Amino acid sequence: MDVNPLINGIVKYRFEAAKKEAHAVDKKLAEKWEDDATLEKKWPFLGVPLTVKEAFQLQGMPNSSGLVNRRNTISKTDATVVAFLKEAGAIPLGMTNCSELCMWYESSNKIYGRSNNPYDLRHIVGGSSGGEGCTLAAACSVIGVGSDIGGSIRMPAFFNGIFGHKPSPGVVSNKGQFPMARGAQELFQCTGPMCRYAEDLAPMLRVMAGPGIKKLRLDEKVHLKDLKFYWMEHDGGSFLMSKVDQDLILAQKKVVDHLENMLGASVQHVKLKQMKYSFQLWVTMMTAKGHDGKEPMKFVDLLSDHGKPVNPLWELIKWCLGLSVHTIPVIGLALLEGKFKYNNEKYKKFKAMEESLHKELVEMLGDDGVFLYPSHPTVAPKHHVPLTRPFNFAYTGIFSALGLPVTQCPLGLNAKGLPLGIQVVAGPFNDHLTLAVAQYMEKSFGGWVCPGKL
């Protein structure tokens, strides 16, 4: 049975080209042109099916990011990470859906429509790498490429019960995606791997990072028993966010109990008071000026993409009449963009708070600590519910603002059959710790669970 028409994850196929590439690999393998050790070293992903978020360039494929006036934009080259994965032998099957301009946590746009969760089609897949999340969860692909500036890898990975990794900033190239962060925001945009099995994360990261991998210590052996684990069950009570589901709190406590009783590790509950300002700290990062003093690019300018200027209020009227080519989340963001910008006094206050929280976390974690934190206040909500809970993404967004590596790990399903999960956070460039914990979590709690019948 073809599940893609139900979930709408892959929005542009390249199956015929992929089949030819796969046959060429089979032919070379039959001719025994290289021994297994050489194959593994040169082409670690030889013949492995790959899907790519449509926001990335893949030669000959669309690169619209769900923006209607870019619907005819065809990539003439590959994004850096895509080129690296292809060089490693991976075979792209097609492009996956995303939210319009990658700025919302439900993957829906006016070009490709809406993606649906394979565990329950009435629920969201997350965003902005949501098409990638549901495609991998439904086993339509093996590995995938996502990007993250507020949780766009981790939310889809969580809602779809797979693994996703937001690397330390500056490790993996962001070149070849649209929209591309610039100025102060460029440092916080991260490209990373998404997959069903934890053991695939590190090999993917090695390839995707290219020369940037030297900044990490992926070859370093991690002794989990010697790690210091810290945990927090919610943000401390921000009025902007939903309360954390009891299912997620219980899942986290199971992890804590297991680490203490089965692994024999040091586990400490902490209360980081500034976490309740997560949304404000993310906004501070997103509105910061670059080193050259330049303001970040306005969202409303991205909407026009060098075309006719967009009037958000007029777009809202058109949307009410069913005539707008934009989705309501981006119209709302364009309307409210100016409201989210803090005055100088507030900006300085939250910037100081962000620096203080970063210092506190980095000192707490050191080079041998990991922090366990909810991925989101709720499991995957039903379609359109995010419009009533627009700030919940800050559970992932805070770690983008702080520039820390995070691995999203699945923890089975709740009573309604929706994925549970947790974020594993480490200090800067200690990605090897979160990746090692992810593999341990998978062995201990089962990892990805097949969605079964749709």
Side-chain angles (χ1 to χ4, degrees):
M1 179 184 177
D2 185 0
V3 298
N4 194 57
L6 296 173
I7 62 171
N8 192 33
I10 303 175
V11 291
K12 185 67 177 177
Y13 299 129
R14 64 180 300 280
F15 286 168
E16 291 308 311
K19 279 195 275 188
K20 286 178 184 175
E21 290 160 14
H23 286 315
V25 170
D26 286 343
K27 188 180 176 186
K28 286 179 178 178
L29 288 173
E31 292 168 358
K32 293 188 167 38
W33 54 307
E34 296 280 9
D35 60 64
D36 288 352
T38 306
L39 285 174
E40 191 175 345
K41 189 175 180 181
K42 284 187 180 178
W43 300 281
F45 290 100
L46 188 63
V48 175
L50 162 74
T51 37
V52 179
K53 182 181 183 178
E54 201 263 14
F56 287 85
Q57 292 173 346
L58 173 58
Q59 192 173 18
M61 293 281 108
N63 181 221
S64 70
S65 285
L67 194 62
V68 168
N69 68 350
R70 282 180 62 92
R71 72 187 317 157
N72 297 318
T73 302
I74 303 298
S75 300
K76 295 177 181 176
T77 186
D78 293 326
T80 302
V81 289
V82 174
F84 284 157
L85 284 163
K86 283 169 73 174
E87 285 167 15
I91 298 176
L93 300 178
M95 311 301 288
T96 55
N97 207 13
C98 58
S99 51
E100 186 177 2
L101 280 176
C102 302
M103 284 301 285
W104 187 238
Y105 73 94
E106 170 149 28
S107 290
S108 179
N109 57 70
K110 295 287 187 173
I111 298 178
Y112 304 117
R114 186 182 75 194
S115 296
N116 303 307
N117 195 303
Y119 293 90
D120 188 329
L121 300 176
R122 299 170 299 170
H123 290 250
I124 74 168
V125 297
S128 59
S129 312
E132 200 57 59
C134 68
T135 295
L136 292 163
C140 297
S141 179
V142 179
I143 56 174
V145 174
S147 55
D148 189 314
I149 199 170
S152 290
I153 287 173
R154 290 162 288 153
M155 280 186 287
F158 167 56
F159 292 146
N160 294 282
I162 62 166
F163 290 90
H165 181 68
K166 183 196 87 67
S168 293
V171 171
V172 180
S173 171
N174 293 315
K175 191 178 177 184
Q177 59 182 293
F178 178 85
M180 180 77 176
R182 71 176 195 186
Q185 291 70 45
E186 192 174 351
L187 180 65
F188 300 96
Q189 185 175 29
C190 293
T191 296
M194 299 172 72
C195 51
R196 282 192 300 282
Y197 303 105
E199 64 186 321
D200 292 333
L201 289 171
M204 284 186 74
L205 186 56
R206 284 179 203 279
V207 171
M208 292 170 74
I213 203 66
K214 292 172 186 172
K215 296 178 182 179
L216 304 182
R217 293 175 286 164
L218 293 193
D219 293 323
E220 194 171 294
K221 176 76 175 169
V222 178
H223 300 282
L224 292 168
K225 194 176 178 181
D226 297 331
L227 292 184
K228 294 169 185 169
F229 290 88
Y230 303 89
W231 65 285
M232 229 175 127
E233 67 271 59
H234 53 69
D235 68 356
S238 167
F239 70 93
L240 292 172
M241 261 91 81
S242 303
K243 286 188 175 181
V244 177
D245 281 355
Q246 200 59 30
D247 280 353
L248 293 169
I249 290 173
L250 290 173
Q252 187 183 38
K253 285 185 175 171
K254 277 185 185 176
V255 172
V256 169
D257 289 343
H258 182 94
L259 292 170
E260 283 181 326
N261 301 321
M262 303 300 289
L263 185 62
S266 161
V267 188
Q268 185 181 337
H269 181 254
V270 293
K271 287 185 180 179
L272 306 175
K273 292 179 182 177
Q274 290 158 332
M275 290 295 280
K276 72 177 175 182
Y277 299 103
S278 293
F279 174 72
Q280 292 92 329
L281 301 188
W282 183 82
V283 169
T284 301
M285 176 269 287
M286 288 297 285
T287 56
K289 291 180 182 178
H291 294 301
D292 56 3
K294 281 187 181 178
E295 297 278 352
M297 190 169 184
K298 288 182 180 177
F299 186 69
V300 72
D301 292 336
L302 278 174
L303 273 181
S304 67
D305 189 37
H306 308 296
K308 187 179 175 184
V310 172
N311 181 325
L313 188 57
W314 178 234
E315 284 302 324
L316 179 61
I317 295 166
K318 284 163 67 179
W319 184 86
C320 291
L321 298 171
L323 300 173
S324 178
V325 296
H326 298 293
T327 55
I328 192 62
V330 301
I331 295 171
L333 182 55
L335 277 168
L336 298 171
E337 186 174 21
K339 308 288 184 193
F340 287 141
K341 190 166 183 181
Y342 299 131
N343 61 34
N344 196 42
E345 189 181 334
K346 264 193 173 180
Y347 176 83
K348 283 181 178 177
K349 172 190 166 185
F350 287 125
K351 184 64 182 171
M353 195 180 287
E354 177 199 299
E355 288 170 359
S356 169
L357 180 58
H358 182 269
K359 185 172 184 283
E360 186 178 8
L361 262 168
V362 168
E363 286 179 358
M364 178 181 87
L365 294 171
D367 287 327
D368 62 350
V370 293
F371 180 45
L372 307 176
Y373 194 69
S375 315
H376 200 77
T378 69
V379 293
K382 287 186 175 178
H383 294 296
H384 310 301
V385 169
L387 289 168
T388 69
R389 299 286 184 272
F391 308 113
N392 280 353
F393 79 92
Y395 267 76
T396 47
I398 183 60
F399 300 113
S400 295
L402 297 172
L404 300 176
V406 190
T407 304
Q408 169 58 43
C409 302
L411 292 174
L413 309 179
N414 71 1
K416 293 182 179 178
L418 292 168
L420 301 166
I422 199 165
Q423 292 184 93
V424 182
V425 186
F429 304 107
N430 282 319
D431 300 50
H432 62 296
L433 301 183
T434 69
L435 297 174
V437 171
Q439 288 202 49
Y440 181 78
M441 293 265 198
E442 183 178 46
K443 286 173 187 169
S444 304
F445 297 96
W448 170 74
V449 178
C450 180
K453 292 180 181 179
L454 287 165

